[in-house]
């Protein structure tokens, strides 16, 4: 059985260490990808919610405008009736 020289052992150890570092980096990249996907999902949920709120506000403002128009018409009738 051939024994390895110190240089060969050192090189092999360096490869193992490099491989371990590469694996750790790869794991970190995968973790960051998952975190990034969760963040984008949250952004999309926020966009949908903002759109829903915007639509609700538009609807409420439209209803409020109609109510104000109705109040103006009622008050104008009351004024007209009072002048008779």
């Amino acid at each position: 059985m051939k024994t390895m020289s110190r240089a060969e052992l050192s090189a092999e150890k360096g490869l193992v260490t490099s491989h371990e570092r590469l694996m750790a980096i790869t794991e970190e990249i995968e973790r960051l990808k998952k975190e990034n996907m969760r963040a984008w999902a949250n952004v999309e949920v926020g966009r949908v919610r903002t759109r829903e709120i915007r639509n609700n506000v538009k609807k409420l403002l439209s209803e409020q405008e109609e109510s104000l128009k109705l109040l103006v018409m009622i008050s104008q009738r009351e004024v007209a009736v009072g002048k008779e």
Side-chain angles (χ1 to χ4, degrees):
M1 179 177 205
K2 182 183 174 195
T3 59
M4 297 175 86
S5 69
R6 285 183 182 231
E8 290 171 325
L9 286 172
S10 179
E12 186 173 304
K13 184 177 179 183
L15 287 176
V16 169
T17 302
S18 293
H19 178 71
E20 289 170 351
R21 287 182 186 161
L22 180 60
M23 292 304 294
I25 291 168
T26 302
E27 287 173 12
E28 181 67 9
I29 289 170
E30 289 304 313
R31 185 189 68 76
L32 290 171
K33 282 181 182 178
K34 288 176 184 176
E35 187 177 315
N36 190 30
M37 288 186 335
R38 281 191 299 270
W40 278 110
N42 287 334
V43 166
E44 188 56 31
V45 167
R47 286 179 182 160
V48 168
R49 185 68 185 130
T50 299
R51 187 170 39 250
E52 290 170 351
I53 291 170
R54 183 178 57 239
N55 291 338
N56 287 340
V57 167
K58 284 180 182 180
K59 180 182 174 197
L60 290 171
L61 287 173
S62 178
E63 290 172 1
Q64 185 179 31
E65 183 180 15
E66 291 302 314
S67 294
L68 288 172
K69 286 178 183 178
L70 183 59
L71 284 173
V72 167
M73 285 184 352
I74 291 170
S75 67
Q76 288 172 345
R77 280 190 219 148
E78 293 294 319
V79 169
V81 168
K83 289 184 179 180
E84 294 179 359

